[in-house]
């Protein structure tokens, strides 16, 4: 005789939609349709990392489809550059949504889903969760157990009977003896879970609608937000002929340190100066207003905090026509490349325009996604966000310290 378990979850509502569920069948007395022991749940997120705008695909399934009532997945939060975000965080759109905007995407006996298209505003670690309601079978038996109990003056023998699992796990204590021919099968059910993570590190210039000035403004704001968390842990290094506003102002503020969010009693939060700021240049005039040594001081009764360690060096004509800025932040590092493309590569009115090979011209221009045409030429911007740790490595590879020592230092 067969029995069909019509699950109560069939009317489970997720948001405003009816959840998709399976009908699990089993046949007593041994329930061979069900697996022996609790099934397992797998959650796969692909790709593991995103470096260009795109979506994560999420697939969850159990190793026992016939014993699965439902499977569902959700995005359970992200660790972005300067904050943690969860479902319901104001101003942040969750990457994964179910029917009618619900938190879960549910299917049967497995589920696959894709996130919305992510961009640089989603850079960071994203965590996904899967749940499944499953059935399985276990074999139990009756046992007779004998123990000794001290009554204060002598040992007494206690005997009792109980049921213990014998398959797939054996749970009976060693002082218990199985009663012959007492084994029986039982159906168990419950929710199992799994988690998966993926990472997004998408360059800023790939965001639709982003332009040169907006990228610099947003980067300057990010440096400020990040510095309030990194404080003295922030490091910055630059090869530069120039550092344009508003990034210049943000870098100056980071180097100096500051107090912010002061209340009516004059009690403020403090952002200590960045641990180290070094600028290598062949145009010393750009260092004006960027270099600070000493300590951050303030307050009605003056206290000083955090050493200011912002210095520059004139290393001669080696920087060419580009700016390379590296900033180590709280959770993420930032690499900014701002270079100038001469007019002969893109302006037919320039007298040297025909003299540049077309292949070379196209290669240079195609590598410039975010640009701004000026009198000097085309300013081309690239802005990349990476896991923290790359800036100290680049500092060594680019020989920042040896070049700094050889140059003429300020101050």
């Amino acid at each position: 005789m067969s029995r069909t378990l019509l699950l109560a979850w069939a009317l489970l509502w997720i948001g405003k939609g009816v959840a998709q569920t399976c009908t699990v069948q089993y046949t007593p007395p041994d329930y061979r349709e069900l697996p022996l022991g609790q099934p397992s749940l797998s959650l796969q997120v692909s790709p593991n990392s995103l470096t260009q705008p795109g979506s994560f695909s999420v697939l969850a399934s159990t190793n026992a489809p016939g014993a699965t009532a439902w499977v569902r997945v959700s995005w359970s939060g992200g660790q972005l550059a300067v904050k943690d975000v969860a479902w319901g965080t104001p101003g942040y759109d969750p990457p994964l949504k179910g029917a009618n905007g619900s938190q879960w995407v549910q299917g049967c006996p497995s589920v696959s889903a894709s996130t919305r298209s992510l961009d640089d505003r989603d850079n960071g670690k994203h965590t996904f969760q899967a749940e499944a309601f499953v059935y399985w079978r276990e074999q139990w038996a009756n046992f007779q157990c004998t123990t000794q109990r001290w009554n204060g003056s002598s040992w007494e023998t206690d005997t009792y009977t109980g049921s213990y699992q014998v398959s797939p796990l054996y749970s009976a204590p060693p002082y218990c003896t199985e009663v012959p021919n007492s084994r029986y099968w039982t159906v168990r059910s419950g929710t199992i879970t799994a988690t998966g993570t993926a990472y997004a590190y998408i360059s800023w210039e790939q965001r639709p609608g982003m332009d040169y000035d907006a990228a610099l403004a947003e980067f300057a704001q990010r440096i400020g937000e990040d510095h309030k968390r990194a404080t003295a842990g922030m490091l910055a290094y630059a090869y530069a002929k120039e550092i344009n506003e508003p990034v210049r102002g943000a870098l100056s503020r980071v180097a100096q340190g500051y107090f912010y969010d002061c209340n009516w009693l004059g009690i403020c939060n403090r952002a200590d100066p960045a641990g180290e700021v070094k600028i290598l240049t062949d145009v010393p005039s750009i260092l004006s207003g960027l270099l600070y040594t000493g300590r951050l001081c303030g307050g009605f009764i003056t206290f000083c905090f955090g050493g200011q360690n912002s210095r520059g060096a004139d290393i001669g004509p080696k920087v060419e026509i580009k700016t390379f800025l590296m900033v180590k932040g709280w959770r993420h590092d930032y690499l900014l490349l701002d270079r100038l493309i001469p007019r002969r590569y893109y302006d037919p009115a320039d007298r040297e325009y025909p003299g540049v090979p077309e292949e070379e011209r196209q290669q240079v221009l195609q590598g410039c996604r975010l640009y701004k045409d000026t009198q000097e030429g085309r300013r081309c911007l690239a802005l990349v966000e990476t896991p923290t740790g790359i800036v100290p490595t680049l500092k060594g590879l680019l020989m920042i310290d040896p070049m700094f020592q050889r140059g003429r230092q300020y101050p």
Side-chain angles (χ1 to χ4, degrees), residues 196-279:
T197 57
Y199 300 83
Y201 290 103
I202 301 165
S203 56
W204 291 32
E205 70 269 17
Q206 297 184 68
R207 187 198 306 176
M210 178 72 84
D211 61 34
Y212 180 93
D213 292 327
L216 286 181
E218 194 162 326
F219 181 52
Q221 182 180 7
R222 171 66 69 82
I223 290 177
E225 293 175 354
D226 202 312
H227 178 240
K228 291 176 182 178
R229 295 160 177 83
T231 61
M234 179 169 278
L235 308 173
Y237 307 100
Y239 284 94
K241 277 185 175 291
E242 59 185 338
I243 299 177
N244 292 325
E245 295 289 357
V247 174
R248 179 189 178 89
L251 192 60
S252 174
R253 189 167 165 81
V254 162
Q256 187 177 13
Y258 49 90
F259 299 93
Y260 65 99
D261 291 347
C262 301
N263 62 21
W264 64 277
L265 293 175
I267 300 174
C268 309
N269 292 318
R270 185 181 83 248
D272 287 345
E276 184 176 68
V277 178
K278 286 184 178 178
I279 302 171

Side-chain angles (χ1 to χ4, degrees), residues 77-133:
Q79 292 181 330
L80 306 188
V82 295
K83 64 180 179 180
D84 291 339
V85 290
W87 190 274
T89 299
Y92 188 75
D93 182 23
L96 185 62
K97 294 180 181 179
N100 300 313
S102 70
Q103 184 173 352
W104 296 92
V105 178
Q106 183 163 320
C108 168
S110 63
V111 62
S112 60
S114 295
T115 66
R116 60 171 171 81
S117 182
L118 306 183
D119 59 29
D120 61 276
R121 290 166 292 194
D122 302 295
N123 281 347
K125 175 183 176 181
H126 293 270
T127 303
F128 297 87
Q129 182 177 352
E131 293 183 356
F133 195 89

Side-chain angles (χ1 to χ4, degrees), residues 358-375:
E358 183 64 23
E359 182 179 353
E360 178 183 345
R361 179 185 298 113
Q362 291 301 322
Q363 184 177 3
V364 170
L365 294 180
Q366 288 174 3
C368 183
R369 298 182 179 180
L370 204 61
Y371 63 86
K372 179 180 181 180
D373 290 331
T374 66
Q375 292 183 350

